[in-house]
Amino acid sequence: MAKLLALSLSLCFLLFSGCFAIREHQPHQKQQPQQNECQLEQLNALEPDNRIESEGGIIETWNPNNRQFRCAGVALSRCTLQRNSLRRPFYSNAPQEIFIQQGSGYFGMVFPGCPETFEEPQESEQRESRRIRESEQGESRRIRESEQGEGRRFRDSHQKVNRFREGDLIAVPTGTVFWMYNDQDTPVIAVSLIDTGSFQNQLDEMPRRFYLAGNQEQEFLQYQQQQVRGRGEQRRGREQQENEGGNIFSGFKRDFLEDALNVNRHIVDRLQGRNEDEEKGAIVKVRGGLSFVTPPERQSRHQGGSIIEEDEDEEDEWRRPHHQKSRRGEEEERPCRRGQKCERSNGLEETICTARLRQNIGSSSSPDIYNPEAGRIKTVTSFDLPALRWLRLSAEHGTLHRNAMFVPHYNLNANSAIYALRGRARLQVVNCNGNTVFDGELEAGRVLIVPQNFAVAAKSMSDRFQYVSFKTNDNAAIARLAGTQSTLSGVPMDVLAATYNMDRNEARQLKNNNLYKFLVPPRESERRAAA
């Protein structure tokens, strides 16, 4: 009996060890959609269906319960920030890619355990002038007097602050606190894709925002409540509705926070958003602008009426308002010159604290695919931006001239969400049954989900159609179905003739008539009609 018990325990131990080993060796496995979730017979170009207004801007969201989004395992939102507006710090349950459609400003992320590497000098005239301005305000005066009474002078330090501009793609890891601020007159428009199907999301596939401040409405909460009510769980839905509007500190008791932070109850009430005007929302106006430590300006050159940074792979520094501080840190890395030994980042030496998290793909002077008569394509993968390796995401930015097209192709290893930035184009998508699941226009502000292996082609109907495509693989690959180096051109001529029941001459035309790889210029008749 004792031997049987010992044998049973050994088998249990082996089984559990095997389970843990399987989980350990499959860390990058994505959550799979439910069975038949992607048996889509019709796709739609979708507009946001929820709009939340805040004091300093608006947040719009698409319904993540839509079958197309569930198939792709993603959620989408769009944020608009007015001048001197701050999107309050938050973190999410899944990795994100944020594309800056319009505007420029600052953003920051707070990585747990990383040091505050941006700090003020010991003596700063700007610091003293700000202290004088703050002394004119009642609450700031009390803080200043308290500091002087204790005989201490505090210097601000914080984690890295980055500059963003139009066309930037920002990688935001799971659970990382993120904030952004618009210091310019032009409103900032940021489109965010959340990869809810990521292996890093250990909750369900409903996107969640965890705010660190405020008393605002959670932008995805209503969809969660609809889903819960749809399951008949009315009681839980009512409980969630009662809890709507708090931040991550709101649920703690005051005495816990007083002891944890060593602050008084008045500060705790501010932290929890008690008695705050709900109209402020997730985006707040900053009276007089923000002041934080930022590096000095970098040199830039003008080309063709646009600003080109000296090194696109480094963080761009733009002109700052006069009230913002600057501090010259270590000597900036100079660009590599021919004949010089120069070390470049390959991602291996990057750590979470110093990783590059932004790359511009909108106004790049070095597109990956370019045809002066058709347009340009710029992609960013984990080879270009190593941080995307953590997120398992990538992106593509494209511009098509009128009547130009990109050829039918499919994503080998990723779903994609094609978001139209400006103009309009006609898109066609075909599923595995050979059925047209979408044949229509994609206009600015709408998104179209294209599942993995579904074939897609587009033709511009505007002078300039621009889009950004978010992809759920950090090294997404495509297979072209037309043009040079395509699937058809790789098949022997006789095999094509036999496959499609045509003669060799027709097979030859099928293989060789399209001399373009991906971007196809308009036909001569279309050019004459446009002229």
Side-chain angles (χ1 to χ4, degrees), residues 385-396:
L385 189 61
L388 293 177
R389 189 176 301 120
W390 312 331
L391 278 63
R392 300 288 170 179
L393 294 172
S394 58
E396 169 187 299

Side-chain angles (χ1 to χ4, degrees), residues 479-500:
R480 297 185 296 275
L481 297 173
T484 60
Q485 299 180 4
S486 67
T487 301
L488 293 181
S489 66
V491 178
M493 191 181 303
D494 279 3
V495 174
L496 285 180
T499 298
Y500 295 108

Side-chain angles (χ1 to χ4, degrees), residues 117-400:
T117 55
F118 280 36
E119 57 184 6
E120 290 181 324
Q122 289 286 350
E123 296 294 337
S124 171
E125 295 179 0
Q126 295 159 320
R127 171 72 170 172
E128 291 300 320
S129 62
R130 190 181 71 172
R131 288 169 64 88
I132 294 174
R133 289 197 304 269
E134 288 179 344
S135 67
E136 297 175 358
Q137 303 174 4
E139 183 178 355
S140 297
R141 186 186 300 114
R142 288 195 300 271
I143 296 174
R144 183 170 180 268
E145 290 173 353
S146 175
E147 292 179 3
Q148 290 176 345
E150 297 175 3
R152 293 181 295 179
R153 297 183 62 185
F154 293 98
R155 293 182 298 133
D156 186 25
S157 63
H158 50 74
Q159 290 193 17
K160 186 176 182 179
V161 174
N162 306 268
R163 189 73 172 162
F164 69 80
R165 62 187 174 98
E166 182 176 322
D168 278 352
L169 185 80
I170 304 172
V172 185
T174 307
T176 301
V177 172
F178 175 86
W179 58 267
M180 63 190 312
Y181 171 65
N182 179 15
D183 64 333
Q184 302 294 314
D185 291 330
T186 302
V188 167
I189 301 178
V191 183
S192 174
L193 178 128
I194 310 171
D195 185 14
T196 55
S198 169
F199 70 94
Q200 298 178 7
N201 176 21
Q202 299 297 303
L203 301 177
D204 54 39
E205 292 199 15
M206 181 61 62
R208 290 175 171 83
R209 302 289 200 200
F210 296 83
Y211 281 95
L212 268 65
N215 193 23
Q216 63 277 330
E217 179 182 351
Q218 302 286 338
E219 55 256 43
F220 290 105
L221 183 61
Q222 70 162 3
Y223 304 119
Q224 187 177 357
Q225 292 173 350
Q226 291 171 2
Q227 189 180 56
V228 169
R229 293 193 186 100
R231 295 172 182 169
E233 301 179 19
Q234 298 289 343
R235 180 179 177 182
R236 188 181 300 178
R238 286 195 299 270
E239 290 176 354
Q240 288 177 350
Q241 194 166 14
E242 290 173 0
N243 292 333
E244 179 179 344
N247 65 66
I248 199 68
F249 293 108
S250 300
F252 288 100
K253 300 302 181 184
R254 288 175 172 172
D255 58 330
F256 265 51
L257 295 178
E258 289 175 13
D259 292 342
L261 297 169
N262 192 25
V263 294
N264 58 43
R265 177 154 296 192
H266 174 74
I267 295 178
V268 168
D269 288 346
R270 291 295 183 92
L271 189 72
Q272 295 183 320
R274 295 178 183 271
N275 303 321
E276 181 182 293
D277 185 1
E278 293 185 1
E279 298 300 321
K280 279 183 172 292
I283 306 170
V284 294
K285 279 282 189 181
V286 182
R287 308 295 183 250
L290 287 182
S291 179
F292 40 73
V293 183
T294 56
E297 294 183 26
R298 300 235 340 265
Q299 296 296 322
S300 60
R301 57 187 173 87
H302 293 268
Q303 178 177 319
S306 60
I307 297 176
I308 305 297
E309 298 297 329
E310 286 185 346
D311 188 354
E312 290 181 348
D313 290 337
E314 296 296 329
E315 301 296 336
D316 297 307
E317 299 301 337
W318 283 46
R319 186 175 301 278
R320 296 180 305 282
H322 67 277
H323 64 271
Q324 290 180 332
K325 299 178 177 60
S326 65
R327 172 181 179 266
R328 184 171 299 276
E330 298 179 357
E331 183 178 356
E332 295 181 356
E333 180 184 358
R334 296 179 180 178
C336 292
R337 289 189 173 91
R338 184 174 297 179
Q340 291 181 341
K341 182 179 179 181
C342 190
E343 295 182 358
R344 283 295 189 183
S345 169
N346 61 8
L348 297 177
E349 67 277 8
E350 287 188 338
T351 67
I352 188 71
C353 299
T354 61
R356 187 166 54 89
L357 299 166
R358 178 197 59 79
Q359 179 156 318
N360 192 278
I361 58 176
S363 59
S364 171
S365 60
S366 57
D368 298 313
I369 304 174
Y370 177 67
N371 186 308
E373 297 179 346
R376 59 171 59 200
I377 303 287
K378 178 70 175 179
T379 60
V380 57
T381 69
S382 59
F383 291 113
D384 312 297
L385 189 61
L388 293 177
R389 189 176 301 120
W390 312 331
L391 278 63
R392 300 288 170 179
L393 294 172
S394 58
E396 169 187 299
H397 181 276
T399 301
L400 290 176

Side-chain angles (χ1 to χ4, degrees), residues 93-106:
N93 60 318
Q96 299 177 80
E97 282 185 322
I98 300 177
F99 181 79
I100 305 301
Q101 178 179 350
Q102 175 183 289
S104 63
Y106 290 93

